[in-house]
Amino acid sequence: MALKLNPEAKAVYRSIREEIKRRLVLPGSLHILDEFEPTPEVEEILRRQAYFRENLSNLRPELKGEIANVKPIKFRRDYLHDRILIVDDDELERAKNLGLCEVSTNLEDVEGYSLVLSTVGYGIDVELTPSQIVPELYIMPLWENQETLGALARIGELRGEGSVASEILRELSEIKEMMERRKLLDGLEELIAEKERGLNERIAEKLEKFSLTLSGKELLDFLGELRAGNYGAIFRHFGDVENEILELINEVENELSEKLGVTVELFPREELYPVTVPPEEVELLREELERELKVGIYLKSREVLDEIRPLLPRLRGELERVHELDFLLAVSEFTSGFSFPKLSDGGIAFVNGRHLFIENPQPVSHVVGDVPDGFSVSGSENVRGESVVILTGANSGGKTSLLELITQIEILAHMGFPVPAERAWIEPLDGLFFFRRKRSSYGAGTFETALRSFVRALRNSRKKRSERKLILIDEFEAITEPGAAVRIIGGLLKIAYERSFYVVIVSHLGGELGEELPFARVDGIEAKGLDDDLNLIVDRQPVFGKLGRSTPELIVESLARRKRGKEREIFERVLRAFRQE
């Protein structure tokens, strides 16, 4: 069940959400915040407070950097085209329903597939389970996300909880050799070209150092063979050099065999210099390597999966826990210096509350309704448990900011969060209505719209005849005539009082309303004077039970002291009129 909020109160709630959201490291953590929508349920608020009390402590700052390295691990169910599964007729439908690879009952269909799996004793024996048919769908995402697994392992160490990610990483090391071969296969052409260049350079060096001594007859025979086009005859006379070149070729092929894991015979022996590997030989080698590699990765993946499969549910739990830690770190950062409010039965009060969105705000204290034990601030002896408060005083003195602060504290309290105050007491509400003054809106249409909104806030739900509501109103008189405003506001506040709602209204008609509504308390935010630079000195802490001194007189005084000549005379005359009242 959600706390009822009007549009302006919802805007404050959205601002709070945005502040927490921008502190999240992982986008997937935002859904957790949705679980903390403001609620009127006392038990749920207390449950949330207990959850935060337990989990917001001992959050080490280093966790944030590790959380940033955690990426989603998606165990995909791709359709694999490199394998075929041979089954009995009675298993065919079940095997096809798995949707993992090609399935057949005919052995003649296996041609062209790298992997032939079977439940009938042909090829590699398998059971009809994804982990046996396509173990790579589990292992490859884990291999590709080793950075995430490493981050999970370090988070487990920082939390003192350990992590299954460490065990999974150890098992994954078993397929390292296969994955290195796969990397080599991706650059096979470049690898062979490099070996080819190196081999030809070494052959050229040997030929440069070679010298040949022939008898006359041997020379004539040698030249005759060359004229006949028998260039291979050169190497018959090169005896030792030919053997050395063949040794070089064998050496290079052995290196490639060891690297690639298959026997390699690529280089031709007919023409020993320059050595050139035919492209078709490279392609044949690639096909052979791919077949060997696919079988090797399949078998090794199956072996590793048998070891780590019991760990996967715990791994998923750890991934979810990382999002929770991300959320808790964001909340901890946002609510640093806040305190948990006590749930009360008689109103709203807080000591040294700080506006969330004002830089270096002056702490202020306020109370609507009963004064709780522990609410001991200057002037609180003048509070008589009034549920309706009229807030008066200086322009730009912080009256609207106080309404915003009350809204912020109420919303956070109903979310179960700590609030920006040293101490706070909150009665759980059914509805929170904040009516912010629209500075650019005037006229009959605006007045009618506002009046209808106020009346809706005063209306009880049909399902719940007795509701707990807080209504905050910012200068209603700005949209109608002052005389009418006193009568209309007075009527609305009487209804709110009769229904035991809490109301804080900002108004410059505090004197008139105070006389009209004896049950209401008038608080004042006072401008105390001008500083040396003729700027207003304002104490933003409301004085309980006292009408606030108006700002216009001080503004006129400031202008009178700044101006010269005829303008100064006019401002001084207006100032005297103020002081004669």
Side-chain angles (χ1 to χ4, degrees), residues 354-378:
R354 300 179 305 281
H355 195 290
L356 291 174
F357 307 116
I358 295 176
E359 188 174 357
N360 298 320
Q362 177 188 332
V364 295
S365 304
H366 204 248
V367 59
V368 186
D370 297 338
V371 180
D373 293 337
F375 183 83
S376 179
V377 298
S378 177

Side-chain angles (χ1 to χ4, degrees), residues 57-316:
S57 59
N58 302 320
L59 288 173
R60 296 174 63 172
E62 308 97 288
L63 285 169
K64 196 162 191 174
E66 295 299 345
I67 288 171
N69 293 323
V70 175
K71 303 294 185 291
I73 300 177
K74 296 181 180 178
F75 296 92
R76 305 176 298 274
R77 289 177 60 86
D78 298 339
Y79 188 92
L80 299 183
H81 297 280
D82 63 354
R83 68 199 63 193
I84 187 169
L85 176 62
I86 304 299
V87 297
D88 286 331
D89 290 337
D90 58 353
E91 294 177 315
L92 182 61
E93 184 177 355
R94 180 185 164 200
K96 284 186 173 181
N97 287 339
L98 290 174
L100 297 171
C101 66
E102 290 290 343
V103 180
S104 177
T105 58
N106 189 353
L107 294 179
E108 294 178 359
D109 292 337
V110 303
E111 187 176 350
Y113 288 96
S114 303
L115 275 166
V116 178
L117 312 176
S118 170
T119 62
V120 294
Y122 182 88
I124 302 173
D125 288 338
V126 296
E127 297 175 3
L128 288 182
T129 63
S131 61
Q132 290 231 335
I133 297 171
V134 282
E136 304 96 316
L137 296 187
Y138 298 87
I139 298 302
M140 290 304 105
L142 293 172
W143 175 264
E144 292 160 5
N145 286 276
Q146 289 182 82
E147 184 181 4
T148 290
L149 294 173
L152 289 174
R154 291 187 292 274
I155 289 169
E157 290 175 12
L158 289 169
R159 298 281 296 167
E161 300 169 346
S163 169
V164 297
S166 301
E167 300 174 54
I168 291 172
L169 282 170
R170 281 196 297 273
E171 294 296 335
L172 285 175
S173 65
E174 294 294 320
I175 65 169
K176 183 179 180 181
E177 182 183 346
M178 289 291 176
M179 301 313 294
E180 287 177 349
R181 286 184 187 176
R182 188 168 76 170
K183 195 179 295 184
L184 283 174
L185 184 58
D186 291 339
L188 182 63
E189 286 79 4
E190 293 81 358
L191 175 63
I192 291 173
E194 180 186 342
K195 292 293 184 182
E196 187 181 273
R197 283 192 300 273
L199 182 57
N200 281 317
E201 287 171 3
R202 294 171 71 184
I203 293 172
E205 289 175 6
K206 286 193 172 294
L207 291 175
E208 286 177 9
K209 296 175 183 177
F210 175 73
S211 63
L212 178 65
T213 302
L214 297 175
S215 66
K217 184 177 184 307
E218 289 173 332
L219 179 59
L220 289 173
D221 291 342
F222 176 69
L223 293 173
E225 288 186 280
L226 289 179
R227 281 195 294 272
N230 186 10
Y231 298 108
I234 296 173
F235 290 100
R236 285 201 299 276
H237 295 283
F238 279 51
D240 292 342
V241 174
E242 180 181 11
N243 290 334
E244 289 177 13
I245 291 173
L246 289 172
E247 285 177 7
L248 288 176
I249 291 174
N250 290 335
E251 181 185 328
V252 170
E253 287 181 337
N254 287 338
E255 289 174 4
L256 282 171
S257 297
E258 188 174 346
K259 264 183 176 290
L260 298 173
V262 295
T263 301
V264 173
E265 291 183 3
L266 279 175
F267 300 102
R269 269 65 172 175
E270 296 80 13
E271 298 292 338
L272 296 182
Y273 184 78
V275 175
T276 303
V277 180
E280 58 271 18
E281 291 294 326
V282 178
E283 188 57 35
L284 286 172
L285 177 61
R286 173 180 287 282
E287 291 174 3
E288 180 186 358
L289 287 171
E290 285 180 345
R291 283 194 301 271
E292 293 280 342
L293 190 59
K294 285 177 179 177
V295 172
I297 289 176
Y298 166 81
L299 291 173
K300 188 58 72 172
S301 295
R302 186 164 147 179
E303 180 184 321
V304 172
L305 184 56
D306 284 343
E307 296 297 324
I308 68 171
R309 186 165 49 188
L311 305 177
L312 296 181
R314 288 167 60 192
L315 177 64
R316 292 189 183 94

Side-chain angles (χ1 to χ4, degrees), residues 7-17 357 404 407-408 411 434 436:
E8 288 294 342
K10 286 179 181 176
V12 175
Y13 173 49
R14 285 195 298 270
S15 297
I16 290 171
R17 281 180 56 93
F357 307 116
E404 293 170 349
T407 306
Q408 294 162 9
I411 288 174
F434 180 20
R436 192 193 303 271

